[in-house]
Each structure stands twice: as C-alpha cells, then as structure tokens.
C-alpha cells in the first residue's frame, strides 16, 4: 500500500496563494468528492479562549470549504469543543464570518451513537461524523500536555460528543493504554478521510489550549491520519512512537515507510520548537473535572444568550 504524505511551505495566512495551496494538497491526497456527497469538515475548535492560536485558522478551513464547494459536495463544518459548542467557538475564532457566503453549514455535534471499544466499554460518537461520506480532518499542529502532540489522529477525538470527552479522561486515564486505544478506536471508526494539517503557525511549549506561537510555515495532507502524524513527528526529529498515540499506532501495525513527493520533513526547520518537559496525567483531578464541567456549562449559556 502506498503511504504518501504531501508537505508544502505556506508562509502566512494572508498569502493570496493559500487557497490554491490548500486545494492542491487536498487534490493530491485524493479528495475529490462527488456532487451531493456528504462531507464533514472537522477543524480543531478546542475552546473560545485564545482562539487565534488554539483553533484551526478560519483561513485554512475556508480554503478547504471553497475547494469542496466547487465539487458540489454537501459540506458541514463541526466539532465538539472542550468548552461550549462548535458554533460558539466558531464565532469566537471568526470562522462563521470566514465561511459566510459559502454553501456550507456550521453544526454542533449531537445525537451520539455508541462505539464499542477494543479494550471494553463504549463511547458516544457524533452520528454526523459516523454517517458522513467523507471526513476532511483539519487539525492544528500543536503540543499537548497529556499526549505530547495533538495532530490528525487526536483531532478525531473531537467527534466524541460533549461531556463524554471529559468523562473519557476519567474512565480511561491512568489505566495502561486504555485512553490512547480509545482515541485510536474513534479514529478508525471514521468514514474515509483526507487529513489536512494547519502548521502555518504551530503552538509549542504547552497545549492544547495554552502555549506560544511557532512560525513553522507548513501545510500537509494525507489520506491516512497515522501517516500524516508520522510525517509531523519527523518534522520535529521524533520517531513514530514518540507519543502515546504514536506508540498505539505502532502497536497496532498501522505505521510504515512514508513517501514525500513534494517537500520532506527536513525541509521545515524546527529549531527552538519546545515540547512539554513531562506529560501530565490523562485523568483530571476531581476538583478540576467539576470546575471544567461548570465552565463548559457557563460558556454554553453565555453563547446562547449572545445568540438570542
């Protein structure tokens, strides 16, 4: 099986060539939807705080949606953030304005469907994701205090609806490899996908909701999320098994030699990119868990009030 990752330089989000660069990468990665095909675009909309750095940039999502609209696809854009709803965070980061005028619809993830997990139990995954004909997965290149990096595979965890993500931390965290196995199960349950990473400005030092900007100048795409993640590990000089999710992918035999028809990982200097010095526990302390649920409810209530 051909394992191909397409990497290219992208100097900034204001470049007039951004739309063309995104479209080219999607096409090379095999994204050619049929007219009327149901396509879910899944950015990273983690939280309404500091959205210009923590979320996938609206310019990249808009470029992808324009490309998909040209095929006549039926395009939805959605996520299930850590705090609030997809629509609330989309407004906070300006994605609603960026998509205005395009034949796409911003959606919240509701109607979960239970997905059986490899190591036992199940988790509620958005029906909108499971029922899509094609997933266009658009993570932002970021470090993660619990998973080291949050890339294409981790971004699919956002298809778990609402509070179930926080609950999964408590149920599966600090229990061997249960948490990363659960995320990989969610990723593997997704419909056929094309994965496009926003690494124009990455986040380093800490994450996924706090950190500092790092001008990496990278866009990348692949049909296989694991292959894209392996390529992004290599940009930082890391092996595929350097992260918990990378180790899970190796354990399952999902990794392999990757080819690079465009740019190679070493074409993106990453000196000074800072990774978390140590990984935090996956399971939250009880007080933090309760505070997080209260904060999420508050953000939802405030977002609903502003909308009305």
């Amino acid at each position: 099986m051909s394992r191909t990752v397409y990497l290219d330089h992208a100097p900034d989000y204001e470049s007039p060539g951004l739309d063309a660069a995104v479209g080219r990468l999607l096409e090379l990665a095999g994204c050619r939807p049929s007219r009327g095909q149901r396509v879910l675009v899944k950015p990273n909309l983690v939280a309404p705080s500091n959205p210009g750095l923590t979320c996938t940039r609206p310019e990249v999502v808009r470029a992808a949606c324009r490309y998909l609209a040209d095929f006549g696809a039926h395009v939805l854009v959605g996520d299930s953030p850590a705090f609030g709803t997809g629509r609330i965070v989309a407004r906070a980061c300006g994605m609603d304005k960026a998509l205005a005028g395009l034949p796409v619809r911003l959606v919240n993830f509701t109607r979960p469907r239970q997905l059986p997990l490899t190591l036992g139990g199940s988790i509620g995954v958005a029906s909108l994701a499971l029922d899509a004909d094609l997933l266009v997965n658009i993570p932002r290149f970021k470090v993660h205090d619990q998973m080291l990096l949050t890339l294409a595979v981790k971004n699919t965890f956002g298809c778990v609806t609402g509070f179930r993500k926080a609950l999964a931390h408590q149920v599966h965290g600090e229990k061997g490899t249960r948490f990363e196995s659960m995320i990989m199960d969610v990723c593997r349950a997704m419909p056929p996908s094309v994965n496009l990473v926003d690494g124009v400005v990455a986040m380093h030092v800490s994450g996924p909701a706090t950190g500092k900007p790092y001008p990496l100048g990278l866009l990348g795409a692949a049909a296989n999320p694991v292959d894209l993640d392996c390529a992004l590990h290599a940009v930082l000089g890391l092996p595929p098994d350097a992260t918990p999710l990378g180790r899970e992918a190796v354990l399952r035999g999902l990794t392999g030699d990757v080819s690079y028809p465009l740019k190679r990982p070493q074409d993106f200097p990453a000196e000074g990119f800072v990774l978390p010095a140590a990984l935090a526990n996956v399971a939250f302390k009880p007080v933090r868990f309760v505070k997080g649920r209260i904060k999420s409810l508050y953000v939802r209530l405030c977002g609903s009030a502003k909308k009305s």
Side-chain angles (χ1 to χ4, degrees):
M1 181 180 71
S2 175
R3 314 185 74 110
T4 307
V5 175
Y6 301 92
L7 302 175
D8 206 357
H9 292 292
D12 55 59
Y13 295 107
E14 288 72 41
S15 170
L18 182 67
D19 280 15
V22 167
R24 177 182 182 229
L25 288 170
L26 289 173
E27 183 175 22
L28 287 169
C31 182
R32 303 178 188 88
S34 303
R35 178 168 296 277
Q37 196 169 22
R38 297 169 300 174
V39 180
L40 174 65
V41 174
K42 166 61 178 74
N44 186 321
L45 300 174
V46 63
S49 59
N50 193 22
L53 183 59
T54 62
C55 299
T56 308
R57 283 290 290 256
E59 296 91 337
V60 176
V61 177
R62 180 185 62 205
C65 288
R66 282 178 172 169
Y67 174 83
L68 294 166
D70 285 344
F71 285 88
H74 177 67
V75 181
L76 303 177
V77 179
D79 193 8
S80 181
F83 301 104
T85 67
R87 286 175 179 165
I88 289 172
V89 180
R91 290 199 299 270
C93 72
M95 195 166 294
D96 57 340
K97 293 180 180 178
L99 298 179
L102 292 178
V104 304
R105 183 162 62 95
L106 280 165
V107 296
N108 292 324
F109 285 166
T110 56
R111 295 194 304 112
R113 186 183 308 160
Q114 291 302 308
L115 173 72
L117 300 175
T118 299
L119 297 182
S122 64
I123 193 155
V125 179
S127 297
L128 280 173
L130 295 173
D131 292 339
D133 297 314
L134 175 68
L135 174 71
V136 177
N137 182 28
I138 315 183
R140 188 154 188 174
F141 195 136
K142 301 189 297 185
V143 300
H144 194 286
D145 294 341
Q146 296 166 320
M147 296 283 105
L148 193 67
L149 292 168
T150 177
L151 304 169
V153 172
K154 178 64 169 62
N155 198 49
T156 63
F157 186 43
C159 293
V160 173
T161 58
F163 72 93
R164 293 166 183 81
K165 291 192 301 301
L167 186 61
H169 280 261
Q170 306 305 99
V171 172
H172 301 290
E174 321 324 319
K175 295 180 180 177
T177 62
R178 288 186 65 93
F179 188 72
E180 46 266 45
S181 176
M182 177 267 301
I183 293 177
M184 192 63 74
D185 284 344
V186 172
C187 183
R188 300 282 286 172
M190 290 296 104
S193 71
V194 175
N195 304 272
L196 172 74
V197 65
D198 170 10
V200 180
V201 177
M203 176 192 282
H204 71 146
V205 181
S206 65
T210 62
K212 295 183 178 180
Y214 185 95
L216 187 60
L218 178 149
L219 288 171
N224 186 320
V226 172
D227 290 346
L228 182 57
D229 284 4
C230 288
L232 300 176
H233 286 193
V235 168
L236 301 178
L238 301 174
D241 62 354
T243 66
L245 283 170
R247 288 193 290 276
E248 180 68 19
V250 171
L251 181 67
R252 294 193 185 201
L254 301 177
T255 59
D257 293 334
V258 174
S259 62
Y260 301 99
L262 299 180
K263 305 296 182 182
R264 299 184 60 78
Q266 55 266 36
D267 295 326
F268 300 87
E271 291 85 359
F273 189 99
V274 179
L275 294 165
L279 296 183
N281 287 342
V282 170
F284 303 121
K285 292 182 178 179
V287 171
R288 182 183 173 188
F289 176 74
V290 172
K291 284 183 176 179
R293 295 306 87 218
I294 293 173
K295 180 180 177 181
S296 183
L297 178 61
Y298 175 78
V299 170
R300 285 172 179 259
L301 291 174
C302 288
S304 298
K306 288 180 180 179
K307 186 177 179 181
S308 61

